[in-house]
Amino acid sequence: MTGGGPLLGKRLPHLMYGGDYNPDQWPEEVWSEDVRLMREAGVNLVSLGIFAWSRLEPKEGTFNFEWLDRIMNMLHEGGVSVDLATATASPPPWLSHAHPEMLPVLADGVRLWPGGRQHYCPSSPIYRDATRRLVDALATRYAKHPALVMWHVGNEYACHVPACYCDVSAHAFREWLKQRYGSLEELNRAWGTDFWSQRYSSWEEILPPRRTPTWPNPTQQLDFMRFSSDELLECYEIERKVLTERTPGIPVTTNFMRFFKPLDYWKWAEREDIVSDDVYQDPLDPEAGMRSAMAADLMRSLGRGRPWILMEQSPNRVNWREVNVPKAPGQMRLWSFQAVARGADGVLFFQWRQSRAGAEKFHSAMVPHGPPQSSPTWREVVRLGGELRALDAVCGSRIRADVAILLDWESWWALELPSKPSNRIQQLEQLEAYYRPFFEANVTADFARPTDDLSGYKLVVAPSLYLVSDAAAANL
Amino acid sequence: MTGGGPLLGKRLPHLMYGGDYNPDQWPEEVWSEDVRLMREAGVNLVSLGIFAWSRLEPKEGTFNFEWLDRIMNMLHEGGVSVDLATATASPPPWLSHAHPEMLPVLADGVRLWPGGRQHYCPSSPIYRDATRRLVDALATRYAKHPALVMWHVGNEYACHVPACYCDVSAHAFREWLKQRYGSLEELNRAWGTDFWSQRYSSWEEILPPRRTPTWPNPTQQLDFMRFSSDELLECYEIERKVLTERTPGIPVTTNFMRFFKPLDYWKWAEREDIVSDDVYQDPLDPEAGMRSAMAADLMRSLGRGRPWILMEQSPNRVNWREVNVPKAPGQMRLWSFQAVARGADGVLFFQWRQSRAGAEKFHSAMVPHGPPQSSPTWREVVRLGGELRALDAVCGSRIRADVAILLDWESWWALELPSKPSNRIQQLEQLEAYYRPFFEANVTADFARPTDDLSGYKLVVAPSLYLVSDAAAANL
Amino acid sequence: MTGGGPLLGKRLPHLMYGGDYNPDQWPEEVWSEDVRLMREAGVNLVSLGIFAWSRLEPKEGTFNFEWLDRIMNMLHEGGVSVDLATATASPPPWLSHAHPEMLPVLADGVRLWPGGRQHYCPSSPIYRDATRRLVDALATRYAKHPALVMWHVGNEYACHVPACYCDVSAHAFREWLKQRYGSLEELNRAWGTDFWSQRYSSWEEILPPRRTPTWPNPTQQLDFMRFSSDELLECYEIERKVLTERTPGIPVTTNFMRFFKPLDYWKWAEREDIVSDDVYQDPLDPEAGMRSAMAADLMRSLGRGRPWILMEQSPNRVNWREVNVPKAPGQMRLWSFQAVARGADGVLFFQWRQSRAGAEKFHSAMVPHGPPQSSPTWREVVRLGGELRALDAVCGSRIRADVAILLDWESWWALELPSKPSNRIQQLEQLEAYYRPFFEANVTADFARPTDDLSGYKLVVAPSLYLVSDAAAANL
């Protein structure tokens, strides 16, 4: 390990500790108790207001920041820094009610409706304009707030809606293809459209790979995956651009989800100041430790070796598996330190206080239902906070690996398209098959792109690298 | 057992015996043979014309009752009383053709079409008005008919379409919510809409829980189940109101389906004069006897101890399982007497004469395909009719239980919503787990609501009572 | 075996050998190499341009035949005859873009989009008119071409879209029903519409069996299967009529798919000059040999004893199973000779040259990726070509069977409708159960319709003949 300085510099020269904090879901009477408990637990950072849009902008263009002012101030006074959310992950009901054409549509034409979250077409100008407006108002108001140390854009992009097949998306897909191919002739060549009489005679004929009688064109599918990752990245970029202009010194992140197929995290990480990750291991999985190690190594690699943040983990059980077993005593602590050992400079949770209502009311939190003092989870949270406080020296450490494992999202997408010699070859299983021996032998591995400078590694492995660019082939 | 008088009083002071009778599906030549065979089998009651709408009203507003007059008279002359159907379970083709907006829509936007049965949106004013008109005409015409002893409203409400997600339903849902919550602020509080930015700023924004990117709001789902049960109950009530006005002394029923999740049978039973049930046990199920006992105890409990009617069972095999095994010799008789022993005052079948065509032509009937005399099923039917005739003394008996098992439909709905510690806890399994030991020990159990007066029971059990009202909590 | 003359007479008095050839998917530089390799392999027939519509008619009404002229001439000069495709199996993008109403719709209302192939409603006048126009132009241009020896209409009709439920199809279904039943009263009688209140009061009320709340009317379903087979047959007939007028002496075929439920191949085969079949056995299936024998016997029977053509098989592995194992060395040769021994006069492959792109690029071909000389598959192809050349004497042989197995498509459809005593009785399993002992005892069997003259057979078996016409009953 070699030092590189704390991620947030002087703003927060410690290992970060805390969680998602949604005061908008609680009466203000609870807030002061929250801050008091945060101090008790050693919390120094919260991700604030990730789903607060409908509270921040209760009607189109009408903003209500007073409550956020109050909690920002309270947190600052309590010594808790803020990773302020842009609150754009879940549009408020009034937006999709006024503009139902912004709702996403599946490949079979089924429209997704509000009632959950993430109900937006990534290409929707309605959604994009509304996020730009909200983020601009937020950034303007809190640019100088002393609690603000980081921006948290959106939330788990693509986790429920990785792609949209509506007419708006079809139009955006065509524009993206024009950029990629320049001419229709070149697209016809690249897609092999002479097969099955698919040759296009005008751009307008091109569609997303909606439900077809049989397998759609594989390159059409692959390009649509590239496009869908890029469209969401564009959503992120719209917000980031506003933030960079309004608050130049404040780093920007969005929370990743380990090895998440729909988004090309290499491209995404290039647009982030800090890489952060959400890790929800199944306590029943005997290889959970190996898998979280692998995710940690990916995050460190995405950040080009810089420290990263474990942005979300659960203090105890989650709510979304068929059966949600609790973590064993000490398991949360173990996995927290594993993240730090593999380069994380922050350990945060979803979430600070367990929900009273909604789809996640059975998801554990740092402050559980009932009195915290009688909760083993709370005691583990407090203990971990204390332990991390003693590790300032670790903050900013860098890790060096001699092994690189190649991972390329486009190759992943292409590998798992149908109509192959075998559909059973899956990228993630292949990665694990190669990672497992290194993990068991205590050999640290980085992940790398095929086009990266690999000269510093003693060993490079390429599990099922199905598709390589000319540049990657030359590099290898 | 204590006596309470026959259910239908002097109109039919015997155990009822018979089945669904659909003369509209047969040429009139067959009718006299039917009545002759009914007498032979000891039939004293038939449920008449459950799917006769397209025969009764072949065009909008044009009624044809002549054929029904004739068979009503023939039955009366043959000594067979009539449980007259309101015939509204399956709208005729002309209705949905003229008004396709009355067709139901699933959560993913798929419309259900005619060709089967029950193809109506429960909130549809088109459907509701048409049923009111038909029932009014029927009740007016047969109010004084001497064969009429009971009304059979609809048929197995909700068995195929428990809920509709169309725009008409969305509007009705909003009106129902206004009644329930009074103000939008109160709805926002109850639904916890601050979670995931779901706060509503106008009633118009609220929708049924249509297909969402991820779990919709759980209270939205729960309220939609309450609403959906209530909307169908309103359909029933529209018909019942007409009947009560036109034929004040004639009792009204609709046939239930054992432990049927979509309908809150406690609320429904309050609006019935007689509780009746359809019981289709799988002869392959080794616990079929326990399960039908449990259903019988529920029906007796729904009727607050009054006798109930086994409105439908199959004389032999059914047609709708993947493999439909016949009942063993004597099995139908055994389960018939089981129903009587647990409080039934009537044993009826689906159906009198086996269909020549349609989706149920392989469903057994009292009169099978082929000559009845050579059919073991027919012989069992005749024998049972004779045996029941000898049991007039049993008619109207009451049963007393020392054990109550709590069952609340709203709690059932809430218990089985997703995002729980475990999705494997299912209400019906829990009920059976508690019922089984009582059944095996020959201890009779009632079912009861948590708000009922439970002081008369020696033991009260509450299997997975997940949700209780304040009143229920106080009562318990 | 008795002789009957070669299928194509003097045009091609040899066993046919070759495969699908798609020069439109390759630069013209490759073509001369193709013809050279064809000669090396003994290829004497290719199915040309099956998916060439978008190359032949790049815009509506604008035809481009120059490239086809060139390759037709090159093939002729190389001694390779042409089974010329009508190229209508996959409409070009411009057609469905201009007329999206021609796209097929599933029973649940989901529309199928272009991007694969076969994306047309069989009843669409748009599609039908466009095919008529294309085939007329093709037949006019190549009527006198010396390479032309056969017409290949469409491709694997119905393999992805056996039926369409759109409004255009609904209209066509009504017209078909008017032809079948003459009067609405007769339809109501035949469909048993008094069951579940389904009686129609006007033709306009009748719909395809779209998604219903529960089982739709079984006769409605059965008639819709009859109709759907007939609608595609009408598509075929439109093309065949043009071909018969323009090129009276050239035989017409379309490629079948063994025991393919959606199409009544008895009716189809009556409209073909030559029966041809596509056979893709799974090399992992231990009964693959029995199954291809059975398919061969069906094809011979469909052609009333005349020789048939094995139009497609794979030289080695396919691409569309979950795991696609290669054929064992010699397996392709064995199955090829099996076809000849059971009456085939031609052995062809999909396809000549393995695709560079598209959904089938991993499907083996006669000329594989890479240099053919180093490929075992190519060597097997060349060897088989040489062996077949030595078998001119076999050409046109007839086979006589003493056993007939009855197969009726309408009965098959009816047998597998839902709502039966058991859904596990499946026609194909029943046929195999009866065919297997004959196969193992080396007893040749024909397949026959229940209405055929069966007097020449020593044994007739009727596996699960669920439905018979009056004529069939009399005949049996």
Side-chain angles (χ1 to χ4, degrees):
Chain A
M1 289 190 180
T2 61
L7 256 183
L8 297 177
K10 291 179 190 166
R11 291 175 203 275
L12 193 55
H14 312 286
L15 291 180
M16 296 163 244
Y17 190 59
D20 280 17
Y21 183 39
N22 301 297
D24 45 310
Q25 297 173 19
W26 294 93
E28 297 205 16
E29 306 87 85
V30 178
W31 297 0
S32 52
E33 171 76 358
D34 281 334
V35 176
R36 194 186 64 71
L37 287 169
M38 285 178 193
R39 295 178 69 102
E40 183 178 333
V43 165
N44 57 23
L45 182 70
V46 292
S47 299
L48 187 64
I50 289 180
F51 293 98
W53 192 344
S54 70
R55 276 289 187 184
L56 292 173
E57 191 180 4
K59 294 191 180 178
E60 184 158 11
T62 303
F63 296 99
N64 177 2
F65 290 123
E66 286 71 22
W67 67 270
L68 187 56
D69 293 347
R70 286 194 291 278
I71 188 64
M72 288 281 283
N73 294 340
M74 285 175 70
L75 288 165
H76 180 63
E77 286 156 21
V80 179
S81 295
V82 171
D83 169 33
L84 187 55
T86 60
T88 54
S90 192
W94 54 257
L95 187 62
S96 55
H97 177 70
H99 307 283
E101 71 275 20
M102 68 161 278
L103 294 170
V105 174
L106 302 180
D108 58 1
V110 170
R111 192 168 285 275
L112 301 181
W113 293 84
R117 63 178 188 180
Q118 213 177 92
H119 44 282
Y120 60 86
C121 161
S123 304
S124 166
I126 301 292
Y127 171 73
R128 291 177 169 196
D129 290 348
T131 63
R132 188 186 288 109
R133 209 167 50 226
L134 173 62
V135 175
D136 191 64
L138 264 173
T140 304
R141 188 166 191 106
Y142 298 103
K144 305 294 180 196
H145 198 286
L148 177 70
V149 297
M150 196 178 356
W151 285 108
H152 186 293
V153 174
N155 181 64
E156 295 184 341
Y157 274 97
C159 72
H160 309 301
V161 187
C164 175
Y165 297 77
C166 77
D167 289 344
V168 170
S169 297
H171 178 75
F173 185 38
R174 280 176 217 123
E175 297 305 308
W176 185 94
L177 290 168
K178 284 178 193 168
Q179 290 297 317
R180 180 174 178 86
Y181 292 111
S183 74
L184 197 56
E185 186 55 33
E186 179 56 19
L187 178 141
N188 275 314
R189 191 202 57 76
W191 285 21
T193 54
D194 286 324
F195 180 80
W196 284 357
S197 187
Q198 297 171 354
R199 176 164 284 267
Y200 295 101
S201 61
S202 82
W203 288 102
E204 286 307 301
E205 293 162 17
I206 302 174
L207 290 167
R210 292 176 180 167
R211 177 118 171 231
T212 45
T214 181
W215 302 289
N217 184 300
T219 320
Q220 178 190 16
Q221 292 179 75
L222 179 58
D223 271 343
F224 191 68
M225 292 187 212
R226 292 173 173 130
F227 160 78
S228 296
S229 176
D230 284 357
E231 283 298 280
L232 282 165
L233 182 54
E234 181 66 21
C235 291
Y236 167 84
E237 275 290 316
I238 285 168
E239 299 192 25
R240 182 179 174 248
K241 185 162 179 291
V242 173
L243 298 173
T244 306
E245 287 171 10
R246 296 277 181 209
T247 61
I250 304 295
V252 175
T253 192
T254 186
N255 45 341
F256 286 164
M257 282 164 291
R258 306 197 286 162
F259 291 83
F260 182 67
K261 185 178 169 185
L263 301 186
D264 181 349
Y265 278 162
W266 291 118
K267 288 182 78 168
W268 280 68
E270 288 172 356
R271 316 292 181 90
E272 289 190 308
D273 300 305
I274 297 173
V275 170
S276 63
D277 198 29
D278 295 355
V279 179
Y280 291 97
Q281 300 288 24
D282 188 348
L284 283 178
D285 174 9
E287 293 207 304
M290 185 273 279
R291 298 203 157 98
S292 53
M294 192 166 135
D297 291 346
L298 175 66
M299 292 303 137
R300 188 185 64 244
S301 305
L302 289 171
R304 300 304 176 180
R306 280 171 296 152
W308 57 282
I309 299 173
L310 176 55
M311 185 62 87
E312 292 185 21
Q313 64 172 341
S314 64
N316 201 321
R317 80 175 78 200
V318 299
N319 64 301
W320 42 264
R321 293 192 176 93
E322 195 198 347
V323 176
N324 299 290
V325 303
K327 288 183 172 173
Q331 201 165 28
M332 177 271 278
R333 178 173 173 262
L334 176 67
W335 287 345
S336 298
F337 279 115
Q338 183 195 48
V340 173
R342 290 181 179 266
D345 261 19
V347 173
L348 289 89
F349 296 92
F350 178 83
Q351 62 178 326
W352 168 251
R353 186 180 278 281
Q354 189 164 352
S355 296
R356 293 180 298 175
E360 295 185 328
K361 60 184 174 292
F362 288 106
H363 191 295
S364 63
M366 299 168 83
V367 179
H369 293 159
Q373 284 69 21
S374 61
S375 152
T377 300
W378 171 251
R379 287 196 297 270
E380 290 202 36
V381 161
V382 172
R383 180 183 167 193
L384 179 63
E387 290 175 339
L388 292 176
R389 246 187 323 242
L391 292 178
D392 275 4
V394 170
C395 201
S397 303
R398 302 297 176 105
I399 288 161
R400 197 186 143 64
D402 291 330
V403 172
I405 300 173
L406 299 189
L407 169 60
D408 181 87
W409 258 264
E410 299 195 19
S411 179
W412 184 355
W413 297 332
L415 178 72
E416 295 181 3
L417 288 173
S419 274
K420 288 283 161 53
S422 170
N423 289 345
R424 294 192 191 153
I425 296 174
Q426 297 288 305
Q427 183 68 76
L428 197 47
E429 280 181 24
Q430 295 294 315
L431 288 174
E432 289 180 350
Y434 282 79
Y435 184 87
R436 191 175 286 112
F438 295 122
F439 178 73
E440 288 172 353
N442 282 320
V443 173
T444 304
D446 281 346
F447 289 87
R449 301 177 92 158
T451 47
D452 283 343
D453 176 7
L454 302 166
S455 59
Y457 293 104
K458 294 183 182 165
L459 178 64
V460 174
V461 296
S464 298
L465 190 64
Y466 171 81
L467 175 151
V468 285
S469 63
D470 293 345
N475 186 52
L476 296 176
Chain B
M1 289 190 183
T2 60
L7 256 182
L8 297 177
K10 291 179 190 166
R11 291 175 203 274
L12 192 56
H14 312 285
L15 292 181
M16 296 164 243
Y17 190 59
D20 280 18
Y21 182 39
N22 300 298
D24 45 311
Q25 297 173 19
W26 294 91
E28 297 206 17
E29 306 88 84
V30 178
W31 297 359
S32 51
E33 170 77 358
D34 281 333
V35 176
R36 192 186 64 70
L37 288 169
M38 285 178 192
R39 295 177 71 101
E40 182 177 334
V43 165
N44 57 24
L45 182 70
V46 291
S47 298
L48 187 65
I50 289 179
F51 294 99
W53 192 344
S54 69
R55 277 287 188 186
L56 292 172
E57 190 180 4
K59 294 191 182 179
E60 184 157 10
T62 303
F63 296 100
N64 176 2
F65 290 124
E66 286 71 21
W67 66 269
L68 188 57
D69 293 347
R70 287 193 291 277
I71 188 65
M72 289 280 284
N73 294 340
M74 284 175 70
L75 289 166
H76 180 63
E77 286 155 21
V80 179
S81 295
V82 171
D83 169 32
L84 187 56
T86 60
T88 54
S90 192
W94 55 257
L95 187 62
S96 55
H97 177 69
H99 306 284
E101 72 275 19
M102 68 161 277
L103 294 170
V105 174
L106 303 180
D108 58 1
V110 170
R111 192 168 285 275
L112 300 181
W113 293 84
R117 63 178 188 181
Q118 213 176 94
H119 44 282
Y120 60 84
C121 161
S123 303
S124 166
I126 300 292
Y127 171 74
R128 291 178 169 194
D129 290 348
T131 62
R132 188 186 288 108
R133 208 167 49 227
L134 173 62
V135 175
D136 191 65
L138 264 173
T140 303
R141 188 165 191 107
Y142 298 103
K144 304 294 180 197
H145 199 287
L148 176 70
V149 298
M150 194 177 357
W151 285 108
H152 187 293
V153 175
N155 181 63
E156 295 184 343
Y157 274 98
C159 71
H160 308 301
V161 187
C164 174
Y165 296 77
C166 77
D167 288 344
V168 170
S169 296
H171 177 77
F173 185 39
R174 280 176 217 124
E175 296 305 309
W176 184 94
L177 290 167
K178 284 179 193 169
Q179 290 297 317
R180 180 174 178 84
Y181 291 111
S183 74
L184 197 56
E185 186 54 33
E186 179 57 18
L187 178 141
N188 275 314
R189 190 201 58 75
W191 284 21
T193 54
D194 286 324
F195 180 81
W196 284 356
S197 188
Q198 297 172 351
R199 175 163 285 266
Y200 296 101
S201 63
S202 82
W203 288 101
E204 286 307 301
E205 295 163 15
I206 302 174
L207 290 167
R210 292 176 180 167
R211 178 119 170 231
T212 45
T214 181
W215 302 290
N217 184 300
T219 320
Q220 178 190 16
Q221 292 179 76
L222 180 57
D223 271 344
F224 192 67
M225 293 187 210
R226 291 173 173 131
F227 159 79
S228 296
S229 175
D230 283 358
E231 284 297 282
L232 282 165
L233 182 53
E234 181 65 23
C235 290
Y236 167 86
E237 275 290 315
I238 285 169
E239 299 192 24
R240 180 178 175 252
K241 185 161 179 292
V242 173
L243 298 173
T244 307
E245 286 171 12
R246 297 278 181 206
T247 60
I250 304 295
V252 174
T253 191
T254 186
N255 45 340
F256 287 164
M257 283 164 291
R258 305 197 287 164
F259 291 83
F260 182 66
K261 185 177 169 186
L263 301 185
D264 182 348
Y265 279 163
W266 291 119
K267 287 181 78 168
W268 280 67
E270 287 172 356
R271 317 292 182 89
E272 288 191 308
D273 300 306
I274 297 174
V275 169
S276 62
D277 197 30
D278 295 354
V279 179
Y280 291 97
Q281 300 289 22
D282 188 348
L284 284 178
D285 174 10
E287 294 206 306
M290 184 271 279
R291 297 202 158 99
S292 54
M294 194 166 132
D297 291 347
L298 174 65
M299 292 304 136
R300 189 185 62 240
S301 305
L302 289 170
R304 300 305 176 180
R306 279 172 295 149
W308 56 283
I309 299 174
L310 177 55
M311 185 62 86
E312 292 185 21
Q313 64 172 341
S314 64
N316 201 320
R317 80 175 79 199
V318 299
N319 65 300
W320 42 264
R321 294 193 175 92
E322 195 197 347
V323 176
N324 299 291
V325 302
K327 288 184 171 172
Q331 201 165 26
M332 178 271 278
R333 176 173 176 263
L334 175 67
W335 287 345
S336 298
F337 279 115
Q338 183 195 47
V340 173
R342 290 181 179 267
D345 261 19
V347 173
L348 290 88
F349 297 91
F350 178 84
Q351 62 177 328
W352 167 250
R353 185 180 279 279
Q354 190 164 352
S355 296
R356 293 180 297 175
E360 295 185 329
K361 60 184 174 291
F362 289 105
H363 191 295
S364 63
M366 299 168 82
V367 180
H369 293 159
Q373 283 69 20
S374 60
S375 152
T377 301
W378 170 251
R379 288 195 296 269
E380 290 202 37
V381 162
V382 173
R383 180 184 167 193
L384 179 63
E387 291 174 338
L388 291 176
R389 245 188 324 242
L391 292 178
D392 275 4
V394 170
C395 201
S397 302
R398 301 298 177 104
I399 289 161
R400 193 183 147 66
D402 291 330
V403 172
I405 300 174
L406 298 189
L407 169 59
D408 182 87
W409 258 262
E410 300 196 19
S411 179
W412 183 354
W413 297 331
L415 178 72
E416 295 181 2
L417 288 174
S419 274
K420 287 285 161 53
S422 169
N423 290 346
R424 294 192 191 151
I425 296 174
Q426 297 287 306
Q427 183 69 74
L428 196 48
E429 281 181 23
Q430 295 294 316
L431 288 173
E432 289 180 351
Y434 282 80
Y435 183 87
R436 190 175 287 113
F438 295 122
F439 178 74
E440 289 170 355
N442 282 320
V443 174
T444 305
D446 282 347
F447 289 88
R449 301 178 91 157
T451 46
D452 284 343
D453 176 7
L454 302 166
S455 59
Y457 293 104
K458 293 182 181 166
L459 178 64
V460 174
V461 296
S464 298
L465 190 64
Y466 171 81
L467 176 152
V468 285
S469 64
D470 292 344
N475 186 51
L476 296 177
Chain C
M1 289 190 183
T2 61
L7 255 182
L8 298 176
K10 291 180 188 165
R11 292 175 202 274
L12 190 56
H14 312 284
L15 291 181
M16 297 162 243
Y17 190 58
D20 280 17
Y21 182 39
N22 301 297
D24 45 311
Q25 297 173 19
W26 294 92
E28 296 205 16
E29 305 89 84
V30 178
W31 296 0
S32 51
E33 171 76 359
D34 281 334
V35 175
R36 194 187 63 71
L37 288 169
M38 285 178 193
R39 295 177 70 101
E40 182 177 334
V43 165
N44 57 23
L45 182 70
V46 291
S47 298
L48 187 66
I50 289 180
F51 293 98
W53 191 345
S54 70
R55 277 287 187 185
L56 292 173
E57 190 181 5
K59 293 191 181 179
E60 183 157 10
T62 304
F63 295 100
N64 176 2
F65 290 124
E66 287 72 22
W67 66 270
L68 188 56
D69 294 347
R70 287 194 291 278
I71 188 65
M72 290 279 284
N73 294 339
M74 285 176 69
L75 289 166
H76 180 62
E77 286 155 20
V80 178
S81 295
V82 171
D83 169 32
L84 187 56
T86 60
T88 54
S90 191
W94 55 257
L95 186 62
S96 55
H97 177 69
H99 307 284
E101 71 275 20
M102 68 161 277
L103 294 170
V105 174
L106 303 180
D108 58 2
V110 171
R111 191 169 285 276
L112 301 180
W113 294 84
R117 63 178 188 181
Q118 212 176 91
H119 43 282
Y120 60 85
C121 161
S123 303
S124 167
I126 301 292
Y127 170 74
R128 291 178 169 195
D129 290 349
T131 63
R132 188 186 289 109
R133 209 168 51 226
L134 172 63
V135 175
D136 191 64
L138 264 172
T140 303
R141 189 167 190 105
Y142 297 103
K144 305 293 180 198
H145 198 287
L148 177 70
V149 297
M150 197 178 355
W151 285 108
H152 187 292
V153 175
N155 182 64
E156 296 184 341
Y157 274 98
C159 72
H160 309 301
V161 186
C164 174
Y165 297 78
C166 77
D167 288 343
V168 170
S169 297
H171 177 77
F173 186 39
R174 280 175 218 123
E175 297 305 309
W176 184 94
L177 290 167
K178 285 178 192 170
Q179 290 297 318
R180 181 174 178 86
Y181 292 111
S183 74
L184 197 57
E185 186 56 31
E186 179 56 19
L187 177 140
N188 275 314
R189 190 201 58 76
W191 285 22
T193 54
D194 286 324
F195 180 79
W196 284 356
S197 187
Q198 298 172 352
R199 174 163 286 267
Y200 296 100
S201 62
S202 81
W203 288 101
E204 286 307 301
E205 294 162 16
I206 302 174
L207 290 167
R210 292 176 181 168
R211 177 116 170 234
T212 44
T214 182
W215 302 291
N217 183 302
T219 319
Q220 178 190 17
Q221 292 179 75
L222 179 58
D223 271 343
F224 192 67
M225 292 187 212
R226 291 173 172 131
F227 160 79
S228 296
S229 175
D230 284 357
E231 284 298 281
L232 282 164
L233 182 54
E234 181 66 22
C235 290
Y236 166 85
E237 276 289 317
I238 285 169
E239 299 191 26
R240 181 178 175 251
K241 185 161 179 292
V242 173
L243 298 172
T244 306
E245 287 170 12
R246 297 276 180 209
T247 60
I250 305 294
V252 175
T253 191
T254 186
N255 47 341
F256 287 164
M257 283 163 291
R258 306 197 286 164
F259 291 83
F260 182 66
K261 185 177 169 185
L263 301 185
D264 181 348
Y265 280 161
W266 291 118
K267 287 181 77 168
W268 280 68
E270 288 172 356
R271 317 292 182 90
E272 288 191 308
D273 299 306
I274 298 174
V275 170
S276 62
D277 198 29
D278 295 354
V279 179
Y280 291 96
Q281 299 289 23
D282 188 348
L284 284 178
D285 174 9
E287 293 207 305
M290 184 273 279
R291 297 201 159 100
S292 52
M294 192 165 134
D297 291 346
L298 175 65
M299 291 304 137
R300 188 185 63 242
S301 305
L302 289 171
R304 300 304 175 180
R306 280 172 296 151
W308 56 284
I309 299 175
L310 177 55
M311 184 61 86
E312 291 185 22
Q313 64 173 340
S314 64
N316 201 320
R317 81 175 78 200
V318 299
N319 64 302
W320 41 265
R321 295 194 175 93
E322 195 197 347
V323 176
N324 298 292
V325 302
K327 287 184 172 173
Q331 201 164 28
M332 177 271 278
R333 176 172 175 262
L334 175 68
W335 288 346
S336 298
F337 280 114
Q338 183 195 46
V340 174
R342 290 179 180 268
D345 261 19
V347 173
L348 290 89
F349 296 93
F350 177 83
Q351 62 178 331
W352 167 251
R353 185 179 278 280
Q354 190 164 351
S355 296
R356 293 180 298 175
E360 295 185 327
K361 60 184 176 290
F362 288 107
H363 192 294
S364 64
M366 299 168 83
V367 180
H369 292 160
Q373 283 70 20
S374 61
S375 152
T377 301
W378 170 251
R379 287 195 296 270
E380 291 202 36
V381 161
V382 172
R383 179 182 168 195
L384 179 62
E387 292 174 338
L388 291 176
R389 243 184 329 238
L391 293 178
D392 275 4
V394 170
C395 201
S397 303
R398 302 298 177 104
I399 289 161
R400 194 184 146 66
D402 291 330
V403 172
I405 300 174
L406 299 189
L407 168 60
D408 182 86
W409 257 263
E410 299 195 20
S411 178
W412 183 355
W413 297 331
L415 177 71
E416 295 181 2
L417 288 173
S419 273
K420 288 283 161 52
S422 170
N423 290 345
R424 294 191 192 153
I425 296 174
Q426 298 287 305
Q427 183 68 77
L428 197 47
E429 280 181 24
Q430 295 293 316
L431 287 174
E432 289 181 350
Y434 283 79
Y435 184 86
R436 190 175 286 112
F438 296 122
F439 178 74
E440 288 171 355
N442 282 321
V443 175
T444 304
D446 282 347
F447 289 88
R449 301 177 93 158
T451 47
D452 284 343
D453 176 7
L454 303 166
S455 59
Y457 293 104
K458 294 182 182 165
L459 178 64
V460 174
V461 297
S464 297
L465 189 65
Y466 172 80
L467 175 152
V468 285
S469 64
D470 292 345
N475 186 51
L476 296 176

